[in-house]
Amino acid sequence: MGLRLGDIAPDFKAITTEGEISFHEYLGNSWGILFSHPADYTPVCTTELGKTALLAEEFRKRNVKVLALSVDPLDKHKGWVNDINETQHTEVHFPIIADEDKHVAGLYDMIHPNASETFTVRSLFVIGPDKKVKLTLTYPASTGRNFHEVLRVIDSLQLTANYSVATPADWKEGEDVIVVPAVSTEDAIKKFPKGVRVVKPYLRYTPQPNK
Ligand code: BEZ
């Protein structure tokens, strides 16, 4: 059984390109992203790590620490980072775990044997400051993830955590958000001074509170 939303993200110690880390200590009070890649020196993975590095400032602004993983060894990671920097016109500064013994891959169920016996799939976990799993994504090796979507879901998760609102389909930063069912319309009117638009008793919108 893999990890489910609301579970505590398992703690671990690991060797990374930025030295040995202890996962929960590394996260501290930040949000976190732990994401796996099938293998070093592969094309899709190269673009994914490059894109993540290019978006480093966006992750920093949202108080998110990023941690990548593949089951290849540390010296291979280090050589590959040079290629990522060169080809993707960036500098990778986040740690990449060298999970040679597949310890972390096992804890997070990142190897799906019917896809590959040896390599991790593209798993991604968003972890909250409470160390609980807030979101999981699983993509096959052949499809690169959309890191703007990852930022979008972090924005949504942080809005829910801070303001008790949800976000509708295809929501984008700056658009109206949804009042969660647990908040009555009476309370919502007090809580959201920018106004509450009631479409149905269960479908209520308010302007994004932190804009
Ligand atoms: C890639 O990262 O390009 C990749 C890795 C494994 C299988 C297919 C593609």
Side-chain angles (χ1 to χ4, degrees), residues 69-171:
L69 173 150
S70 93
V71 298
D72 283 325
L74 189 62
D75 57 340
K76 207 168 169 188
H77 281 0
K78 287 188 171 166
W80 182 40
V81 164
N82 294 333
D83 276 15
I84 298 168
N85 292 345
E86 178 196 328
T87 61
Q88 307 304 303
H89 313 292
T90 189
E91 282 186 27
V92 173
H93 289 300
F94 54 82
I96 307 173
I97 297 172
D99 193 33
E100 275 190 277
D101 64 1
K102 303 188 171 107
H103 174 63
V104 181
L107 284 176
Y108 284 79
D109 199 26
M110 290 166 165
I111 295 184
H112 296 197
N114 290 325
S116 165
E117 290 280 356
T118 41
F119 299 122
T120 53
V121 293
R122 295 187 194 284
S123 297
L124 184 147
F125 299 85
V126 177
I127 294 149
D130 57 3
K131 310 290 180 294
K132 289 186 179 166
V133 175
K134 305 294 180 189
L135 177 127
T136 65
L137 278 181
T138 307
Y139 274 41
S142 51
T143 305
R145 288 158 284 197
N146 183 330
F147 289 86
H148 293 285
E149 170 63 4
V150 174
L151 289 170
R152 192 189 75 90
V153 294
I154 287 167
D155 286 342
S156 172
L157 291 166
Q158 293 187 343
L159 278 171
T160 303
N162 297 330
Y163 300 98
S164 309
V165 293
T167 54
D170 294 340
W171 172 84

Side-chain angles (χ1 to χ4, degrees), residues 37-48 80 119-120 122 140-143:
H37 300 87
D40 295 2
Y41 293 106
T42 50
V44 177
C45 298
T46 300
T47 61
E48 283 198 325
W80 182 40
F119 299 122
T120 53
R122 295 187 194 284
S142 51
T143 305

